[in-house]
């Protein structure tokens, strides 16, 4: 009542998703970290139908395992949720497209994707202690500056975050601080780190951290319970407001409106704002122009995808934090080499490998690692596209991407084209005719010839083979 129809529609899946997150939190407490991370954490809310909610599970095997071992507990916890009435749980194998390219997936309505799931899994925790906890989200104790590994891809974002955290007044030119980057690259981690730092060093400053999704949820609740005024006052009384995953409010007009006013009120009062998104302010779709332009007012810092060195550093740091894990260096390098998508998956892979070894009581080897991670490895493999290869190769040899499609036979464009064809064969699962088509409609025999030629050069020309080695590394990082 009192709530416009479109808002009601907007919220049903939200409520179900939030309830699922609470169930997930409880599962983590009930089964402990190792079991949770290996089996239960990957269960994601994937939408609802008339009488059930869909929970996605990455593989068939995992579904069987969960059906055998955990489904009763899951059902019991689910049925304890108020909104669960009339919604039975259905475990579905994850849509492989969602699995493969979580970065490219836009936020689909209110469906919780891997993208915002982890950040929000703890946000709707029961038993609020005070209003900030109730309105905001609890901070993750692991997400501190100390635990953040800095490398080239994230050094700007890290420096900006430190700056904002360490200066007790507003940092000129850094308001708002807008951090953006693909999923799992450390945005939430950096935000939490800022919040921890301020809480510790300037406890008098009021820091409010929450996801844009929760902002929306709080806002809708406030409207429903006629607490809009208290909502506004609360958000406008903080010293530092942090909103995570702002892309979530795209298309949600009333939430955007409220966000915009909150934003302006805080900036007017010289309060610090920190905001993250999955892309730069100007690229955010479904967000009003005036909001986008505000978001880009201050310092905009992006986090690039990880490099091999950074992944290695992160793995080493995580392993040091695990007291009892012994992992061969070969396996560590293998993971850094293969799990290139993002840090979250990298961590997940490491945890799965360790959990598996603990469960079966056998040491970790390259073979068991490959076995335990086969689904992840496949998904990571598929991520390199022919376009990526063409771009990378063109820039490496200083030719135009359009030369990849042209029929010019001059050596300085024909050789790079052959290299790109060879790498397309090596790194994608596309067939020779398909590769030919993507290079401006060449015949499959042309591709075959290119592959042979490049193989030949690799074995005879040392410099060339080093070149290719480097290109391959770049593509996989
Ligand atoms: P995002 O918010 O960008 O999607 P998160 O901040 O949730 O990503 O990061 C995903 C996971 O990866 C977290 O567990 C985080 O601690 C870890 N992580 C990301 N970047 C780093 C880093 N540079 N050093 C250590 N851990 C990292
Ligand atoms: Mg995040």
């Amino acid at each position: 009542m009192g709530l416009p129809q479109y808002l009601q529609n907007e919220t049903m899946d939200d409520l179900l998703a939030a309830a699922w997150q609470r169930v997930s939190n409880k599962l983590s407490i009930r089964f402990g970290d190792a079991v949770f991370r290996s089996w239960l954490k990957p269960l994601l809310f994937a939408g609802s139908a008339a009488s059930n909610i869909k929970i996605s599970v990455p593989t068939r095997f995992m579904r069987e395992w969960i059906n055998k071992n955990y489904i009763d507990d899951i059902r019991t916890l689910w049925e304890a949720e108020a909104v669960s009435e009339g919604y039975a749980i259905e475990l579905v194998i994850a849509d492989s497209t969602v699995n493969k390219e979580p970065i490219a997936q836009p936020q689909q309505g209110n469906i919780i994707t891997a993208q915002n799931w982890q950040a929000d899994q703890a946000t709707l925790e029961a038993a609020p202690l005070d209003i900030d906890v109730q309105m905001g989200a609890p901070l993750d104790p692991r997400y501190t500056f100390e635990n953040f590994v800095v490398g080239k891809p994230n050094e700007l974002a890290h420096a900006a975050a430190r700056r904002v955290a360490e200066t007790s007044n507003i940092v000129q030119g850094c308001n708002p601080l807008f951090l953006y980057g693909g999923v799992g690259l450390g945005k939430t981690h950096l935000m939490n780190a800022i919040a921890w730092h301020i809480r510790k060093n300037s406890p008098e400053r009021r820091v409010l951290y929450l996801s844009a999704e929760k902002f929306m949820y709080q806002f809708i609740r406030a409207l429903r319970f006629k607490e809009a005024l208290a909502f506004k006052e609360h958000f406008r009384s903080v010293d530092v407001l942090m909103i995570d995953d702002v892309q979530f409010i795209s298309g949600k007009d009333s939430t955007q409106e409220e966000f915009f006013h909150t934003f302006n009120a805080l900036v007017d009062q010289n309060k610090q704002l920190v905001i993250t998104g999955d892309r730069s302010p100007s690229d955010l779709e479904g967000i009003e122009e005036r909001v986008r332009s505000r978001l880009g007012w201050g310092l905009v810092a992006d986090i690039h995808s990880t490099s091999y060195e950074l992944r290695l550093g992160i793995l080493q740091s995580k392993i040091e934090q695990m007291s009892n894990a012994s992992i061969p260096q070969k396996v560590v390098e293998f993971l850094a080499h293969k799990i290139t998508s993002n840090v979250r998956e990298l961590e997940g892979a490491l945890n799965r490998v360790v959990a598996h070894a603990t469960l079966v009581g056998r040491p970790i080897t390259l073979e068991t690692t490959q076995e335990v991670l086969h689904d992840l490895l496949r998904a990571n493999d598929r991520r390199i596209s022919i376009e990526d290869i063409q771009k990378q190769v063109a820039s490496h040899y200083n030719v135009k991407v359009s030369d990849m499609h042209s029929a010019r036979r001059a050596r300085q464009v024909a050789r790079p084209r052959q290299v790109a064809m060879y790498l397309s064969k090596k790194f994608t699962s596309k067939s020779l005719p398909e590769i030919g088509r993507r290079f401006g409609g060449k015949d499959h025999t042309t591709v075959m010839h290119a592959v042979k030629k490049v193989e030949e050069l690799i074995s005879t020309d040392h410099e060339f083979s080093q070149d290719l080695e480097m290109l391959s590394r770049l593509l996989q990082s």
Side-chain angles (χ1 to χ4, degrees):
M1 55 36 295
L3 206 59
Q5 185 61 40
Y6 72 94
L7 276 182
Q8 289 180 10
N9 290 340
E10 207 166 274
T11 53
M12 197 57 227
D13 267 8
D14 274 46
L15 293 176
L16 291 170
W20 174 252
Q21 281 166 6
R22 281 190 295 270
V23 168
S24 182
N25 290 340
K26 289 179 192 158
L27 286 170
S28 133
I29 294 163
R30 180 167 301 189
F31 290 104
D33 212 38
V35 169
F36 178 68
R37 277 177 178 268
S38 335
W39 304 109
L40 302 166
K41 192 172 162 184
L43 298 179
L44 302 179
F45 176 74
S48 63
S51 62
N52 54 22
I53 68 160
K54 297 192 190 321
I55 298 299
S56 79
V57 36
T59 62
R60 199 168 296 279
F61 168 70
M62 280 176 81
R63 183 169 72 176
E64 273 169 32
W65 186 264
I66 286 158
N67 270 330
K68 216 167 167 182
N69 296 285
Y70 305 115
I71 197 70
D72 294 340
D73 290 88
I74 294 173
R75 293 228 162 91
T76 309
L77 289 174
W78 174 247
E79 277 150 23
E81 289 290 327
V83 293
S84 72
E85 206 179 293
Y87 289 95
I89 286 184
E90 188 192 352
L91 292 181
V92 297
I93 310 291
D95 177 349
S96 55
T97 57
V98 173
N99 233 2
K100 258 184 285 173
E101 292 187 282
I103 300 170
Q105 286 285 314
Q107 292 283 317
Q108 291 275 340
N110 301 308
I111 294 174
I112 302 292
T113 62
Q115 195 155 342
N116 54 21
W117 179 79
Q118 175 172 2
D120 288 338
Q121 58 154 332
T123 59
L124 295 143
E125 194 73 73
L129 298 174
D130 62 36
I131 187 102
D132 273 1
V133 174
Q134 196 180 14
M135 285 283 198
L139 299 175
D140 190 314
R142 293 165 306 159
Y143 293 176
T144 60
F145 281 123
E146 288 71 36
N147 289 342
F148 191 80
V149 181
V150 186
K152 264 237 151 44
N154 59 27
E155 64 184 346
L156 175 65
H158 172 259
R162 277 241 178 230
R163 188 89 207 280
V164 165
E166 284 165 3
T167 322
S168 55
N169 280 321
I170 182 116
V171 184
Q172 284 307 325
C174 286
N175 203 24
L177 170 60
F178 189 94
L179 301 174
Y180 74 92
V183 59
L185 297 180
K187 300 181 296 293
T188 299
H189 188 136
L190 279 178
M191 260 201 167
N192 274 247
I194 296 174
W196 281 122
H197 191 96
I198 296 176
R199 279 204 184 159
K200 188 158 153 231
N201 296 286
S202 325
E204 72 290 350
R205 296 179 85 196
R206 295 189 62 200
V207 180
L208 185 57
Y209 161 81
L210 76 167
S211 64
E213 187 201 4
K214 191 164 188 200
F215 181 87
M216 180 183 91
Y217 175 75
Q218 294 288 7
F219 174 57
I220 290 169
R221 250 184 61 131
L223 290 181
R224 174 170 290 169
F225 295 110
K226 304 204 173 10
E227 291 165 352
L229 203 63
F231 174 88
K232 282 183 205 301
E233 274 172 10
H234 181 70
F235 275 92
R236 286 163 205 195
S237 68
V238 301
D239 297 302
V240 183
L241 177 63
M242 306 191 168
I243 306 261
D244 206 355
D245 288 321
V246 74
Q247 72 276 1
F248 191 83
I249 63 170
S250 70
K252 310 203 165 111
D253 294 345
S254 49
T255 306
Q256 275 190 50
E257 179 84 18
E258 185 56 33
F259 175 73
F260 182 71
H261 292 307
T262 307
F263 186 107
N264 286 340
L266 288 170
V267 171
D268 281 348
Q269 295 172 55
N270 248 339
K271 302 297 178 56
Q272 179 73 48
L273 282 128
V274 183
I275 293 158
T276 72
D278 66 348
R279 59 199 77 181
S280 78
S282 53
D283 288 340
L284 284 169
E285 280 159 28
I287 297 212
E288 284 177 57
E289 172 53 31
R290 57 179 187 162
V291 178
R292 272 189 286 153
S293 100
R294 285 301 144 98
L295 290 173
W297 262 4
L299 181 65
V300 177
D302 62 340
I303 307 186
H304 298 271
S305 38
T306 58
S307 60
Y308 176 74
E309 287 72 25
L310 180 61
R311 291 195 293 275
L312 210 54
I314 289 170
L315 284 171
Q316 264 144 9
S317 137
K318 307 270 171 206
I319 292 166
E320 273 164 32
Q321 288 165 36
M322 301 174 169
S323 47
N324 51 359
S326 141
I327 303 167
Q329 184 62 16
K330 251 199 1 229
V331 170
V332 178
E333 282 165 16
F334 176 80
L335 292 176
H337 193 62
K338 289 288 187 183
I339 312 290
T340 54
S341 46
N342 64 56
V343 183
R344 182 174 304 152
E345 258 187 26
L346 188 65
E347 273 187 334
L350 177 66
N351 289 328
R352 236 212 260 177
V353 170
V354 173
H356 181 266
T358 316
L359 279 176
V360 300
R362 273 202 312 246
I364 297 167
T365 65
L366 209 49
E367 287 68 43
T368 58
T369 303
Q370 270 164 317
E371 213 176 283
V372 173
L373 300 179
H374 80 274
D375 55 327
L376 269 184
L377 292 170
R378 236 185 21 230
N380 273 276
D381 270 352
R382 283 206 214 99
R383 281 209 179 94
I384 302 175
S385 69
I386 293 185
E387 284 71 39
D388 294 339
I389 293 172
Q390 290 173 333
K391 270 193 224 146
Q392 187 73 256
V393 172
S395 103
H396 180 75
Y397 288 103
N398 228 341
V399 299
K400 295 203 273 314
V401 175
S402 61
D403 287 330
M404 295 288 157
H405 308 270
S406 82
R408 285 178 60 203
R409 282 161 181 263
R411 176 79 163 279
Q412 73 265 30
V413 297
R415 185 58 41 83
R417 198 188 298 133
Q418 288 175 329
V419 167
M421 286 177 178
Y422 166 84
L423 291 170
S424 301
K425 182 72 200 128
K426 179 169 169 196
F427 286 118
T428 73
S429 49
K430 297 282 184 289
S431 65
L432 294 177
E434 173 64 19
I435 294 173
R437 266 197 296 283
R438 307 279 284 275
F439 281 81
K442 310 259 181 322
D443 196 71
H444 78 276
T445 52
T446 311
V447 183
M448 212 150 73
H449 174 72
V451 173
K452 276 222 187 85
K453 182 77 207 164
V454 171
E455 279 170 352
E456 188 187 307
L457 283 170
I458 289 175
S459 60
T460 54
D461 183 337
H462 184 61
E463 203 176 315
F464 181 83
S465 100
Q466 280 193 327
D467 239 28
L468 269 200
E469 181 66 27
M470 194 181 81
L471 267 170
S472 303
R473 282 261 302 262
L474 280 173
L475 280 169
Q476 290 174 85
S477 62

